[in-house]
Amino acid sequence: MKKLEKLIIAGAEFHSRLFVGTGKFPSPQVMAEAIEASGSEMVTVALRRVDVNNPEDSTLSALDFSKYRLLPNTSGARNADEAVRLAKLSRAACNTNWIKLEVTPDPNYLLPDGVETLKAAVTLLGLGFIVLPYINADPILAKRLEEAGCATVMPLASPIGSNRGLMTRDQIAIIIEQSRVPVVVDAGLGMPSHAAEAIEMGADAVLVNTAIAIAGKPIAMAEAFKLAIEAAEKVRLADPAGATVFARPSSPLTGFLR
Amino acid sequence: MSDFFSILTSLDTEQIRRQIEECRVCDVERVLLKGFVDDDELPILFSPAAGLMLEEMARRSAALTLRRFGRVIQLYAPLYLSNECANRCRYCGFAGDLDIPRMTLTPKRAISEGDILHRQGFRHILLVSGESPRHVSMDYLLEVVRGLSGKFASISIELYPMEKEEYQRLAEAGVDGIALYQETYNQVRYLEVHPPGPKRDFRRRLAAIEKGGEASFRSLGVGALLGLTNWRLDAFILALHSRYLMRRFWQSRIAASFPRIREAAGHYAPDYPISDADFVQMICAMRLILPDAELVMSTRESAALRDNLIGLGITRMSAGSRTNPGGYGASPESGGQFEVEDSRTPAEVARAIASKGFEPVFKDFDRAFIR
């Protein structure tokens, strides 16, 4: 099992391995309370949803950004050019050079375009951004983005919003094994057990939005994710026994030889 | 890829009508259990048998909508530019043969109408006009769009059929979405309600939304005007049309709309009225067939019905609408397109949405996507 190390992204340390999104909540107040309950220290916000010129924007004004690092995202961008434009707008308006890069040309499954994501990442890194790219669980693309200088890679567990859990488990395992930057499992984690499984597998963090936002009780669900992730961290520290295909009887068959 | 007209003309509508009528409850149960609805199963969800399973359909529709869109309702407002019209559609308050006060807003007045909507909180607007390129010309539209684009995150158009190059010019000026409703997919009925005039050309109208797709509009809006013919068959074809567009223009979002005919200046009563229960069945069926499409509802429907449909499948609503040019400003002298049933202010609609546990969303797009 991969050793649990401090989570440091681009020099910033995070004590919580749960990152959260701000979409789909019933109200800005519930969103703010759920995020508080999640213990998260990084919150991603879709730039298309916020009115950056309006200081009273309901999403931005509901959150206390002295407690959370704001991670603007380029959700809705269909190609590299759009993502880069949005990132520049974000840097000017939100006073941060961190950007969660999302390039999703198809509005239905919102699957990321690897070619355009790499292209946008290279441009943004050249402009001094700290880039956290959302990708399909593609180990080669993950290495290419790491080599380009991205701060993390963020492979999807299953299509965004689907709550289906770690459908890309085997590919994510390869990414975790090979990656030299933090791996944040993003999209599709529908239950706290899915998040725990990702952390147990060796992921450095997870990002959850829909599963919390559309739960009947978002605040309680946020806390459930927090606890599940903390449990998984303890698992990593506990050096678990591991699984085997053979039975291991407590009275071995060869015990008589001793 | 063939156009939708050739798909439409290859359909055996009589056989589909029979399939809809003869469908059994067990057929509906099978589709609902399976989850995904195949193209050849679409008629099942519009059947009378499916109407018997409305509660089950509604529960699934609500769950799908919640997962995909969350607890939010997007709000927009129509901005009527002109009620001049060369058509005489029998159901429309703008019909050219009706004696109503006609008006085309000057670009300046259109922009000041936009200012009012902006102050009300809207960031998504829909520019609407009758079919009169003489009054609503390309140069006029470009001037209006350029004047509004600084204030609005998203500008869509619901005008008259144009060519791809014209749509491209509008897209460059700042338009990101188009709505163009076929009204009915029944070509015989279409001719009956559209007397001679440019709109009588069924095929030209049907082709225009595809030209909008080729011009890369982000949002492609289709719709059927309910009440003109048998809703079950028309709604089935609307669903098929939506899926066709979704597959062909895979980078655009599809928005489907299904206004029910209301009394307009022409006092046209629907020949095939659709009950609330049938209407809800249709909305749920559309959601089950098109999990990712925006389902749009205007202020033609009553406040009570609109409130009850929050969370059930609808994702985008207009609010505080005036359907006559200049209607947001002071006492205009112009006729409206249809009677508004939900006359609440945008703030009242937003409060009603919030009281249902949903967030009213005024901005869900950004100009940075297109410029």
Short mmCIF file of all heavy atoms in Angstrom, two decimals, chain A residues 109-157:
data_model
loop_
_atom_site.label_atom_id
_atom_site.label_comp_id
_atom_site.label_asym_id
_atom_site.label_seq_id
_atom_site.Cartn_x
_atom_site.Cartn_y
_atom_site.Cartn_z
N TYR A 109 -22.03 13.94 -21.74
CA TYR A 109 -21.28 13.17 -20.75
C TYR A 109 -20.15 13.99 -20.13
O TYR A 109 -19.54 13.59 -19.16
CB TYR A 109 -20.74 11.89 -21.36
CG TYR A 109 -21.83 10.86 -21.56
CD1 TYR A 109 -22.45 10.71 -22.79
CD2 TYR A 109 -22.27 10.09 -20.49
CE1 TYR A 109 -23.48 9.80 -22.96
CE2 TYR A 109 -23.29 9.17 -20.65
CZ TYR A 109 -23.89 9.03 -21.89
OH TYR A 109 -24.91 8.13 -22.04
N LEU A 110 -19.86 15.15 -20.73
CA LEU A 110 -18.82 16.06 -20.22
C LEU A 110 -17.48 15.35 -20.06
O LEU A 110 -16.78 15.56 -19.07
CB LEU A 110 -19.27 16.67 -18.89
CG LEU A 110 -20.51 17.57 -18.98
CD1 LEU A 110 -21.04 17.89 -17.60
CD2 LEU A 110 -20.21 18.85 -19.73
N LEU A 111 -17.14 14.51 -21.03
CA LEU A 111 -15.86 13.83 -20.95
C LEU A 111 -14.76 14.76 -21.45
O LEU A 111 -14.95 15.51 -22.39
CB LEU A 111 -15.90 12.54 -21.78
CG LEU A 111 -16.81 11.47 -21.17
CD1 LEU A 111 -17.03 10.32 -22.14
CD2 LEU A 111 -16.25 10.96 -19.86
N PRO A 112 -13.60 14.72 -20.79
CA PRO A 112 -12.54 15.65 -21.14
C PRO A 112 -11.82 15.28 -22.44
O PRO A 112 -11.61 14.11 -22.74
CB PRO A 112 -11.59 15.57 -19.95
CG PRO A 112 -11.87 14.26 -19.31
CD PRO A 112 -13.29 13.91 -19.60
N ASP A 113 -11.45 16.31 -23.19
CA ASP A 113 -10.71 16.15 -24.45
C ASP A 113 -9.22 16.21 -24.13
O ASP A 113 -8.67 17.27 -23.83
CB ASP A 113 -11.12 17.29 -25.39
CG ASP A 113 -10.43 17.20 -26.75
OD1 ASP A 113 -9.32 16.65 -26.82
OD2 ASP A 113 -11.00 17.71 -27.73
N GLY A 114 -8.56 15.06 -24.20
CA GLY A 114 -7.16 14.99 -23.81
C GLY A 114 -6.25 15.85 -24.67
O GLY A 114 -5.32 16.50 -24.17
N VAL A 115 -6.52 15.88 -25.98
CA VAL A 115 -5.66 16.63 -26.90
C VAL A 115 -5.71 18.12 -26.57
O VAL A 115 -4.68 18.78 -26.39
CB VAL A 115 -6.12 16.39 -28.36
CG1 VAL A 115 -5.30 17.23 -29.32
CG2 VAL A 115 -6.03 14.92 -28.71
N GLU A 116 -6.92 18.64 -26.43
CA GLU A 116 -7.08 20.08 -26.16
C GLU A 116 -6.64 20.42 -24.73
O GLU A 116 -6.15 21.51 -24.47
CB GLU A 116 -8.54 20.50 -26.38
CG GLU A 116 -8.98 20.43 -27.84
CD GLU A 116 -8.32 21.48 -28.72
OE1 GLU A 116 -8.34 22.66 -28.38
OE2 GLU A 116 -7.76 21.09 -29.78
N THR A 117 -6.82 19.49 -23.82
CA THR A 117 -6.40 19.73 -22.43
C THR A 117 -4.89 19.91 -22.34
O THR A 117 -4.39 20.83 -21.69
CB THR A 117 -6.86 18.57 -21.52
OG1 THR A 117 -8.28 18.46 -21.60
CG2 THR A 117 -6.47 18.81 -20.07
N LEU A 118 -4.16 19.03 -23.02
CA LEU A 118 -2.69 19.14 -23.01
C LEU A 118 -2.25 20.45 -23.65
O LEU A 118 -1.38 21.16 -23.14
CB LEU A 118 -2.07 17.93 -23.73
CG LEU A 118 -0.55 17.90 -23.79
CD1 LEU A 118 0.06 17.89 -22.39
CD2 LEU A 118 -0.05 16.68 -24.57
N LYS A 119 -2.91 20.78 -24.77
CA LYS A 119 -2.57 22.03 -25.47
C LYS A 119 -2.80 23.24 -24.56
O LYS A 119 -1.95 24.12 -24.42
CB LYS A 119 -3.46 22.11 -26.72
CG LYS A 119 -3.02 23.09 -27.76
CD LYS A 119 -3.86 22.87 -29.02
CE LYS A 119 -4.29 24.18 -29.61
NZ LYS A 119 -5.39 24.04 -30.58
N ALA A 120 -3.96 23.27 -23.91
CA ALA A 120 -4.29 24.39 -23.01
C ALA A 120 -3.33 24.43 -21.83
O ALA A 120 -2.89 25.50 -21.40
CB ALA A 120 -5.73 24.27 -22.53
N ALA A 121 -2.99 23.25 -21.30
CA ALA A 121 -2.10 23.19 -20.13
C ALA A 121 -0.75 23.81 -20.48
O ALA A 121 -0.20 24.61 -19.71
CB ALA A 121 -1.94 21.75 -19.67
N VAL A 122 -0.23 23.45 -21.64
CA VAL A 122 1.09 23.98 -22.04
C VAL A 122 1.03 25.50 -22.14
O VAL A 122 1.91 26.21 -21.63
CB VAL A 122 1.53 23.33 -23.37
CG1 VAL A 122 2.74 24.05 -23.95
CG2 VAL A 122 1.82 21.85 -23.17
N THR A 123 -0.03 26.02 -22.75
CA THR A 123 -0.18 27.48 -22.88
C THR A 123 -0.27 28.14 -21.50
O THR A 123 0.40 29.12 -21.21
CB THR A 123 -1.45 27.81 -23.70
OG1 THR A 123 -1.38 27.13 -24.94
CG2 THR A 123 -1.57 29.30 -23.94
N LEU A 124 -1.12 27.58 -20.65
CA LEU A 124 -1.35 28.19 -19.33
C LEU A 124 -0.10 28.13 -18.46
O LEU A 124 0.22 29.08 -17.73
CB LEU A 124 -2.52 27.51 -18.62
CG LEU A 124 -3.90 27.77 -19.26
CD1 LEU A 124 -4.97 26.88 -18.64
CD2 LEU A 124 -4.29 29.25 -19.10
N LEU A 125 0.63 27.02 -18.54
CA LEU A 125 1.87 26.91 -17.76
C LEU A 125 2.86 27.97 -18.22
O LEU A 125 3.56 28.59 -17.41
CB LEU A 125 2.45 25.50 -17.89
CG LEU A 125 1.62 24.42 -17.18
CD1 LEU A 125 1.96 23.04 -17.70
CD2 LEU A 125 1.81 24.49 -15.66
N GLY A 126 2.89 28.22 -19.53
CA GLY A 126 3.76 29.26 -20.08
C GLY A 126 3.38 30.65 -19.59
O GLY A 126 4.21 31.54 -19.51
N LEU A 127 2.11 30.81 -19.22
CA LEU A 127 1.63 32.10 -18.73
C LEU A 127 1.73 32.20 -17.21
O LEU A 127 1.23 33.14 -16.60
CB LEU A 127 0.17 32.31 -19.16
CG LEU A 127 -0.08 32.46 -20.67
CD1 LEU A 127 -1.57 32.37 -20.99
CD2 LEU A 127 0.48 33.79 -21.16
N GLY A 128 2.30 31.16 -16.58
CA GLY A 128 2.53 31.23 -15.14
C GLY A 128 1.40 30.70 -14.28
O GLY A 128 1.36 30.93 -13.08
N PHE A 129 0.46 29.98 -14.89
CA PHE A 129 -0.64 29.41 -14.10
C PHE A 129 -0.18 28.15 -13.37
O PHE A 129 0.74 27.46 -13.81
CB PHE A 129 -1.81 29.04 -15.01
CG PHE A 129 -2.68 30.21 -15.41
CD1 PHE A 129 -2.39 30.95 -16.55
CD2 PHE A 129 -3.79 30.54 -14.66
CE1 PHE A 129 -3.18 32.02 -16.92
CE2 PHE A 129 -4.60 31.60 -15.03
CZ PHE A 129 -4.30 32.35 -16.16
N ILE A 130 -0.88 27.86 -12.27
CA ILE A 130 -0.75 26.56 -11.61
C ILE A 130 -1.93 25.74 -12.09
O ILE A 130 -3.09 26.08 -11.82
CB ILE A 130 -0.74 26.74 -10.08
CG1 ILE A 130 0.59 27.41 -9.70
CG2 ILE A 130 -0.90 25.40 -9.37
CD1 ILE A 130 0.64 27.92 -8.30
N VAL A 131 -1.62 24.68 -12.84
CA VAL A 131 -2.67 23.99 -13.59
C VAL A 131 -2.99 22.63 -12.98
O VAL A 131 -2.10 21.81 -12.78
CB VAL A 131 -2.25 23.83 -15.07
CG1 VAL A 131 -3.36 23.13 -15.86
CG2 VAL A 131 -1.91 25.18 -15.69
N LEU A 132 -4.27 22.42 -12.71
CA LEU A 132 -4.76 21.13 -12.20
C LEU A 132 -5.73 20.58 -13.24
O LEU A 132 -6.90 20.95 -13.28
CB LEU A 132 -5.47 21.31 -10.85
CG LEU A 132 -4.60 21.73 -9.65
CD1 LEU A 132 -4.28 23.21 -9.67
CD2 LEU A 132 -5.27 21.36 -8.34
N PRO A 133 -5.27 19.71 -14.12
CA PRO A 133 -6.12 19.28 -15.24
C PRO A 133 -7.03 18.10 -14.91
O PRO A 133 -6.61 17.11 -14.31
CB PRO A 133 -5.10 18.89 -16.32
CG PRO A 133 -3.90 18.47 -15.55
CD PRO A 133 -3.90 19.20 -14.23
N TYR A 134 -8.29 18.23 -15.36
CA TYR A 134 -9.29 17.15 -15.28
C TYR A 134 -9.11 16.28 -16.53
O TYR A 134 -9.13 16.80 -17.65
CB TYR A 134 -10.68 17.77 -15.26
CG TYR A 134 -11.84 16.83 -15.45
CD1 TYR A 134 -12.01 15.73 -14.62
CD2 TYR A 134 -12.78 17.03 -16.46
CE1 TYR A 134 -13.08 14.87 -14.78
CE2 TYR A 134 -13.86 16.17 -16.63
CZ TYR A 134 -14.01 15.09 -15.79
OH TYR A 134 -15.07 14.24 -15.97
N ILE A 135 -8.89 14.99 -16.33
CA ILE A 135 -8.61 14.11 -17.48
C ILE A 135 -9.38 12.81 -17.38
O ILE A 135 -9.86 12.43 -16.30
CB ILE A 135 -7.09 13.77 -17.58
CG1 ILE A 135 -6.60 13.10 -16.29
CG2 ILE A 135 -6.29 15.01 -17.90
CD1 ILE A 135 -5.19 12.52 -16.40
N ASN A 136 -9.48 12.15 -18.51
CA ASN A 136 -9.94 10.78 -18.47
C ASN A 136 -8.84 9.97 -17.77
O ASN A 136 -7.72 10.44 -17.65
CB ASN A 136 -10.18 10.25 -19.88
CG ASN A 136 -11.35 9.29 -19.90
OD1 ASN A 136 -11.45 8.41 -19.03
ND2 ASN A 136 -12.23 9.44 -20.87
N ALA A 137 -9.15 8.77 -17.30
CA ALA A 137 -8.15 8.01 -16.56
C ALA A 137 -7.17 7.38 -17.56
O ALA A 137 -7.19 6.18 -17.80
CB ALA A 137 -8.83 6.97 -15.69
N ASP A 138 -6.33 8.23 -18.13
CA ASP A 138 -5.40 7.82 -19.17
C ASP A 138 -3.97 7.99 -18.64
O ASP A 138 -3.48 9.11 -18.50
CB ASP A 138 -5.63 8.71 -20.41
CG ASP A 138 -4.63 8.45 -21.52
OD1 ASP A 138 -3.61 7.77 -21.27
OD2 ASP A 138 -4.86 8.95 -22.63
N PRO A 139 -3.31 6.91 -18.30
CA PRO A 139 -1.98 7.01 -17.67
C PRO A 139 -0.95 7.74 -18.52
O PRO A 139 -0.10 8.45 -17.98
CB PRO A 139 -1.59 5.55 -17.46
CG PRO A 139 -2.88 4.81 -17.40
CD PRO A 139 -3.79 5.52 -18.36
N ILE A 140 -1.01 7.59 -19.82
CA ILE A 140 -0.03 8.26 -20.67
C ILE A 140 -0.26 9.77 -20.68
O ILE A 140 0.66 10.56 -20.54
CB ILE A 140 -0.09 7.71 -22.11
CG1 ILE A 140 0.17 6.19 -22.11
CG2 ILE A 140 0.91 8.43 -23.02
CD1 ILE A 140 1.50 5.76 -21.54
N LEU A 141 -1.53 10.16 -20.82
CA LEU A 141 -1.85 11.59 -20.77
C LEU A 141 -1.43 12.17 -19.42
O LEU A 141 -0.90 13.29 -19.34
CB LEU A 141 -3.35 11.81 -21.02
CG LEU A 141 -3.83 13.26 -20.95
CD1 LEU A 141 -3.16 14.11 -22.03
CD2 LEU A 141 -5.35 13.34 -21.09
N ALA A 142 -1.64 11.41 -18.36
CA ALA A 142 -1.25 11.88 -17.03
C ALA A 142 0.26 12.17 -16.99
O ALA A 142 0.70 13.19 -16.45
CB ALA A 142 -1.63 10.84 -15.97
N LYS A 143 1.04 11.27 -17.56
CA LYS A 143 2.50 11.49 -17.58
C LYS A 143 2.85 12.70 -18.45
O LYS A 143 3.75 13.47 -18.11
CB LYS A 143 3.23 10.23 -18.10
CG LYS A 143 3.23 9.07 -17.14
CD LYS A 143 3.72 9.43 -15.75
CE LYS A 143 5.25 9.49 -15.63
NZ LYS A 143 5.64 9.77 -14.21
N ARG A 144 2.18 12.85 -19.57
CA ARG A 144 2.47 13.99 -20.45
C ARG A 144 2.18 15.31 -19.73
O ARG A 144 2.94 16.27 -19.84
CB ARG A 144 1.63 13.89 -21.73
CG ARG A 144 1.97 12.70 -22.62
CD ARG A 144 3.24 12.90 -23.42
NE ARG A 144 3.14 14.02 -24.35
CZ ARG A 144 2.88 13.91 -25.65
NH1 ARG A 144 2.70 12.72 -26.18
NH2 ARG A 144 2.81 14.97 -26.41
N LEU A 145 1.08 15.36 -18.99
CA LEU A 145 0.72 16.59 -18.28
C LEU A 145 1.69 16.85 -17.12
O LEU A 145 2.05 17.99 -16.84
CB LEU A 145 -0.73 16.48 -17.76
CG LEU A 145 -1.79 16.58 -18.86
CD1 LEU A 145 -3.12 16.00 -18.40
CD2 LEU A 145 -1.98 18.04 -19.30
N GLU A 146 2.10 15.77 -16.48
CA GLU A 146 3.09 15.90 -15.40
C GLU A 146 4.40 16.47 -15.97
O GLU A 146 4.97 17.41 -15.41
CB GLU A 146 3.32 14.52 -14.78
CG GLU A 146 4.42 14.46 -13.74
CD GLU A 146 4.76 13.01 -13.38
OE1 GLU A 146 3.85 12.25 -13.02
OE2 GLU A 146 5.96 12.66 -13.48
N GLU A 147 4.84 15.91 -17.08
CA GLU A 147 6.08 16.39 -17.71
C GLU A 147 5.97 17.85 -18.15
O GLU A 147 6.93 18.60 -18.11
CB GLU A 147 6.43 15.52 -18.92
CG GLU A 147 7.03 14.19 -18.52
CD GLU A 147 7.21 13.25 -19.71
OE1 GLU A 147 6.82 13.62 -20.84
OE2 GLU A 147 7.72 12.15 -19.50
N ALA A 148 4.77 18.24 -18.58
CA ALA A 148 4.56 19.63 -19.01
C ALA A 148 4.67 20.59 -17.82
O ALA A 148 4.94 21.77 -18.01
CB ALA A 148 3.20 19.77 -19.69
N GLY A 149 4.43 20.08 -16.61
CA GLY A 149 4.58 20.93 -15.43
C GLY A 149 3.30 21.14 -14.63
O GLY A 149 3.23 22.04 -13.78
N CYS A 150 2.27 20.33 -14.89
CA CYS A 150 1.02 20.49 -14.13
C CYS A 150 1.24 20.13 -12.67
O CYS A 150 2.08 19.30 -12.32
CB CYS A 150 -0.08 19.59 -14.72
SG CYS A 150 -0.66 20.19 -16.32
N ALA A 151 0.45 20.76 -11.80
CA ALA A 151 0.63 20.60 -10.36
C ALA A 151 0.04 19.29 -9.85
O ALA A 151 0.46 18.76 -8.82
CB ALA A 151 0.00 21.77 -9.63
N THR A 152 -0.98 18.81 -10.53
CA THR A 152 -1.62 17.53 -10.18
C THR A 152 -2.09 16.90 -11.48
O THR A 152 -2.02 17.53 -12.54
CB THR A 152 -2.91 17.72 -9.33
OG1 THR A 152 -3.85 18.45 -10.13
CG2 THR A 152 -2.65 18.44 -8.04
N VAL A 153 -2.62 15.70 -11.37
CA VAL A 153 -3.50 15.19 -12.42
C VAL A 153 -4.80 14.79 -11.73
O VAL A 153 -4.80 14.37 -10.57
CB VAL A 153 -2.91 14.00 -13.21
CG1 VAL A 153 -1.81 14.49 -14.13
CG2 VAL A 153 -2.42 12.90 -12.29
N MET A 154 -5.91 14.96 -12.46
CA MET A 154 -7.23 14.70 -11.85
C MET A 154 -8.04 13.76 -12.74
O MET A 154 -8.92 14.18 -13.48
CB MET A 154 -7.97 16.03 -11.64
CG MET A 154 -7.15 17.02 -10.83
SD MET A 154 -8.03 18.57 -10.47
CE MET A 154 -9.20 18.05 -9.24
N PRO A 155 -7.74 12.46 -12.65
CA PRO A 155 -8.49 11.51 -13.49
C PRO A 155 -9.90 11.27 -12.97
O PRO A 155 -10.15 11.35 -11.76
CB PRO A 155 -7.66 10.22 -13.35
CG PRO A 155 -6.98 10.35 -12.03
CD PRO A 155 -6.71 11.81 -11.83
N LEU A 156 -10.81 11.00 -13.88
CA LEU A 156 -12.20 10.77 -13.49
C LEU A 156 -12.41 9.32 -13.06
O LEU A 156 -11.80 8.40 -13.59
CB LEU A 156 -13.15 11.15 -14.62
CG LEU A 156 -13.03 10.47 -15.98
CD1 LEU A 156 -13.76 9.14 -16.01
CD2 LEU A 156 -13.62 11.38 -17.05
N ALA A 157 -13.32 9.14 -12.10
CA ALA A 157 -13.68 7.80 -11.63
C ALA A 157 -14.76 7.20 -12.52
O ALA A 157 -14.79 6.01 -12.79
CB ALA A 157 -14.17 7.87 -10.19
#
